[in-house]
Amino acid sequence: MLAPNFSTLIIEAGTDEAGRGCLAGPVTAAAIILPLNFENRLLNDSKQLSEKQRENLRPVIEEQALSFAVTHLFPDEIDEINILNASMKGMQESILKLNLVPQFIIVDGNRNLNAKLGLKNTTGKQFTTAEIDLLKSIPNQSIIKGDAKYLSIAAASVLAKTYRDEYMNQIHEEFPMYNWKKNKGYPTKEHREAIRKYGTTKYHRRSFRLLPEQLSLEF
């Protein structure tokens, strides 16, 4: 089973994101605070779980969590601030949505959670000075492959993945020719062939290389 905590503090939040490498749809982040006695031997990095396992874990995680939050950042904002900043901002927003203030935060990856606070973007949430100060005040640790090491990060990865998949299934109904219900917006051969044939939608990330030989593309 994964480790319950990184720090020695009681209220530790884990955060992670899903969908960073997709051509369409949001990047989705989640943050969660689990009780110290939380145990689940199935819970792991969401990429190591089947879709059915993730869907079965989600209600268990949500029911037992002390607090959790999920945030979508949509293509317009991704295109404006870039996908790496959008991924971090999604996790920051999720932390701010928690109904408990964490004493410590663990973040999947190699970037500090406080990186690029207060970006002056024109779309999406604008952080207030108080929110920036709060995020700066909470100690945090980035952990490479943290979603395969700590329960809270793994739980956040499952929530981010399932909520994002749910969203992609919904917009699939609007544009079924891209088969987002199956590929979830990732750059599969099928998805790219659909872009080549039908062009792009409002859900595609214009700053991404949507076709391998892309020089320019009509939007």
Side-chain angles (χ1 to χ4, degrees), residues 122-192:
T122 59
T123 57
K125 176 180 172 58
Q126 307 295 305
F127 289 152
T128 66
T129 300
E131 288 172 332
I132 292 172
D133 289 344
L134 176 60
L135 287 168
K136 285 182 176 178
S137 73
I138 305 171
N140 64 89
Q141 176 67 48
S142 59
I143 302 170
I144 295 172
K145 299 188 184 300
D147 48 7
K149 298 175 182 176
Y150 292 94
L151 286 169
S152 62
I153 300 180
S157 78
V158 168
L159 293 184
K161 175 63 174 166
T162 54
Y163 274 84
R164 187 182 186 280
D165 284 358
E166 185 175 76
Y167 178 86
M168 296 306 294
N169 290 344
Q170 291 170 1
I171 65 173
H172 166 87
E173 302 303 320
E174 189 176 351
F175 293 100
M177 67 282 284
Y178 299 95
N179 203 10
W180 290 330
K181 192 171 185 178
K182 179 181 179 182
N183 63 54
K184 303 300 189 283
Y186 281 92
T188 63
K189 181 179 179 181
E190 176 189 41
H191 188 188
R192 283 189 152 138

Side-chain angles (χ1 to χ4, degrees), residues 73-133:
L73 265 72
F74 295 99
D76 283 351
E77 189 166 8
I78 293 169
D79 290 337
E80 183 176 9
I81 65 175
N82 81 47
I83 187 60
L84 292 177
N85 288 333
S87 299
M88 294 304 299
K89 186 169 182 280
M91 291 189 278
Q92 293 161 356
E93 287 191 36
S94 296
I95 291 292
L96 291 172
K97 290 178 183 177
L98 295 172
N99 57 25
L100 289 172
V101 177
Q103 296 171 298
F104 198 89
I105 302 166
I106 50 177
V107 187
D108 185 55
N110 59 4
R111 296 182 82 200
N112 188 289
L113 185 74
N114 294 342
K116 296 292 183 75
L117 279 170
L119 290 167
K120 301 299 182 185
N121 51 307
T122 59
T123 57
K125 176 180 172 58
Q126 307 295 305
F127 289 152
T128 66
T129 300
E131 288 172 332
I132 292 172
D133 289 344

Side-chain angles (χ1 to χ4, degrees), residues 23 192 195-196 200 205-219:
L23 303 180
R192 283 189 152 138
I195 293 171
R196 192 188 308 277
T200 59
R205 302 174 185 177
R206 301 185 181 195
S207 58
F208 277 47
R209 189 180 184 188
L210 301 177
L211 296 176
E213 69 280 15
Q214 179 179 342
L215 296 175
S216 64
L217 193 64
E218 293 297 323
F219 291 99

Side-chain angles (χ1 to χ4, degrees), residues 18-34:
R20 197 168 76 175
C22 295
L23 303 180
V27 62
T28 302
I32 189 165
I33 300 171
L34 295 172

